[in-house]
Amino acid sequence: MVRLLLFSLLLLPAVLAGCTVGRVPQLAPGHYQVARTRSGALAGVADQAPGRRLYLAQPTPDSLVFYPGPQARPLRYGLADFEGLKLRHGEFDFDIFTLPFKLRASREGVPAQLNTTFNAALYLGRRLDRYHFRRTVLPTGQAVPQIRTAGFGYGGFVGLGSTIVTADLTRQHAITDYEGAVLHGGVAAIYDIRALNVGAALGFDYLLGADGPHWLYQGRPWLGVLFGLNLN
């Protein structure tokens, strides 16, 4: 069972690598990089500003307007140029996460543990959104633009949680069973679904109180899955 859970965590980024579909007007104005395009006209955007971010004005239902710089002439492209266009947009990400479970390895004769007690964390990292444009032809024969989006991120987190403490888990130091408070921190990789974030985490716990130094998992790594709300 432990191996199955570990395998599932390793596969999580691939499973989450899906995408959502949106209309062009839903693309927020801001700075983007042209990642790839099959359009000769749009290829000129990257040629005129290789490696630089281009400012994209508010999209209309059938056109995009890029500004390579403050004094540069705007570059306008219509629906016919959208096919194959890929944009990238990066920014810092600040989120609040919950960790529904932590998987701990076996230690000193205690079997592997799957903890499902309360855990929360503040996350700060880097997020990269990718946008793939395409044209879709409706049954009416009208061509409309759509965007396939996927957002990925990585960063660190710190937070507060709880764990069950027993004598067996503290080398017989705890005099009673109780739910102890832990500080935790670590790194995470996330997949951003608009306002919702899902990901995998590698963290470390530190039990607060007199039993902390005797706790089997003090400072030991664990694997977990996290869910969060995008705050920016």
Side-chain angles (χ1 to χ4, degrees), residues 46-80:
D47 292 340
Q48 293 183 40
R52 285 172 46 198
R53 297 188 305 166
L54 309 177
Y55 183 79
L56 175 65
Q58 177 65 53
T60 66
D62 58 1
S63 65
L64 299 173
V65 179
F66 292 95
Y67 290 85
Q71 306 299 324
R73 182 169 59 90
L75 305 168
R76 184 182 303 272
Y77 298 96
L79 177 61

Side-chain angles (χ1 to χ4, degrees), residues 201-214:
L202 170 65
F204 303 85
D205 279 354
Y206 295 90
L207 179 65
L208 303 180
D211 292 323
H214 307 279

Side-chain angles (χ1 to χ4, degrees), residues 104-186:
R104 306 182 192 277
S106 60
R107 182 163 170 78
E108 297 186 18
V110 177
Q113 301 288 310
L114 182 62
N115 296 159
T116 58
T117 53
F118 168 80
N119 288 278
L122 296 177
Y123 166 89
L124 179 64
R126 181 74 174 171
R127 186 177 73 212
L128 177 64
D129 295 299
R130 296 178 180 271
Y131 305 87
H132 185 191
F133 289 75
R134 55 175 302 199
R135 289 183 296 166
T136 299
V137 180
L138 302 178
T140 60
Q142 178 187 7
V144 296
Q146 285 188 328
I147 318 172
R148 292 188 176 273
T149 69
F152 304 89
Y154 57 89
F157 66 89
V158 293
L160 181 67
S162 63
T163 188
I164 299 299
V165 179
T166 67
D168 290 338
L169 297 179
T170 57
R171 303 179 176 92
Q172 307 306 315
H173 187 268
I175 59 176
T176 186
D177 296 351
Y178 65 97
E179 192 168 351
V182 296
L183 293 176
H184 53 226

